[in-house]
Amino acid sequence: IREAFESNKRQASRFVFRITSQGGLVPEGERVIEVLRQIKVTHQLDTVVTQGDVCASMCVFIYLQGQKRFGALTSSWLFHEVSHMDVNTKQTTRLDRAAWERLVNKYFGPAGVSDKWTDDMKPRTINSDYWQTGADLINAGSGIIHESLANQTTRLIPPDSPRPKEAASTKPPAASTARGECRKYFASI
């Protein structure tokens, strides 16, 4: 991330960080957060979790670093306590509620996550995984996602690709876009 930022920072004033992740180790996640915080000193940083993507565990804390956060209604989000694993068997050996509470306190409030939502979520994570969709987070007013991404995205076909004959009723309305032009999926990006 740092390398990509350094090589492009003079050409842009804003960076969009698309993330999909099952999570990971807390120390590694906090190193990523530190890099993202350094980016925000001089540039706008937006974070995005798109349709069908997952943002689980440590990913949520990383995603919250976005100054503007986009999330798909159909994205999946996982909240749970920090877990410790046996390095050989990869089995969870212990859950660490105190470490998780530290992360929640350190990152949720400053990112504008709703205290009411956080208070409702916390007991649901005791010894369990708590899943939410992007739609759940938005409807609950969690403050995690700032702007939602719809469930529908345009499927682009190269202009010179052979196309089967279509019935008139299945054809989309004619678009007034130039040949080969890409459509913008994120209205604010």
Side-chain angles (χ1 to χ4, degrees):
I1 296 168
R2 181 179 286 119
E3 183 179 305
F5 172 70
E6 290 297 328
S7 65
N8 293 288
K9 69 182 180 183
R10 287 173 187 77
Q11 294 95 333
S13 60
R14 182 168 149 260
F15 285 85
V16 178
F17 183 55
R18 179 181 172 195
I19 186 170
T20 181
S21 172
Q22 295 292 326
L25 300 174
V26 172
E28 289 176 0
E30 290 197 300
R31 284 195 295 277
V32 171
I33 288 170
E34 185 52 39
V35 170
L36 297 178
R37 286 183 168 178
Q38 290 170 8
I39 291 170
K40 292 191 301 185
V41 170
T42 57
H43 292 73
Q44 171 74 24
L45 176 69
D46 298 341
T47 50
V48 179
V49 176
T50 61
Q51 295 85 354
D53 284 347
V54 173
C55 188
S57 192
M58 195 64 202
C59 175
V60 177
F61 301 105
I62 294 169
Y63 169 84
L64 288 174
Q65 300 312 301
Q67 292 159 302
K68 191 165 210 178
R69 301 186 297 265
F70 298 86
L73 299 173
T74 56
S75 54
S76 296
W77 302 75
L78 172 61
F79 306 87
H80 65 83
E81 298 161 313
V82 171
S83 56
H84 297 272
M85 295 186 164
D86 181 284
V87 291
N88 296 319
T89 66
K90 306 294 186 213
Q91 296 295 313
T92 300
T93 58
R94 175 171 74 86
L95 299 176
D96 191 340
R97 184 77 183 180
W100 183 77
E101 290 275 353
R102 180 192 65 80
L103 290 169
V104 169
N105 294 337
K106 183 175 181 179
Y107 297 114
F108 277 35
V113 176
S114 161
D115 290 338
K116 180 180 178 192
W117 182 85
T118 301
D119 290 344
D120 179 69
M121 176 269 304
K122 280 183 175 183
R124 299 172 192 271
T125 62
I126 297 172
N127 296 323
S128 67
D129 292 340
Y130 181 55
W131 288 93
Q132 293 275 273
T133 65
D136 293 334
L137 295 174
I138 292 164
N139 292 336
S142 69
I144 290 176
I145 297 172
H146 292 150
E147 289 197 31
S148 64
L149 302 176
N151 292 336
Q152 183 178 4
T153 58
T154 302
R155 296 175 74 191
L156 298 178
I157 300 171
D160 296 330
S161 294
R163 295 181 186 213
K165 295 248 181 208
E166 299 172 339
S169 63
T170 63
K171 288 185 179 180
S176 60
T177 58
R179 184 177 172 124
E181 178 183 349
C182 292
R183 296 181 183 158
K184 293 183 180 180
Y185 292 106
F186 308 110
S188 299
I189 293 179

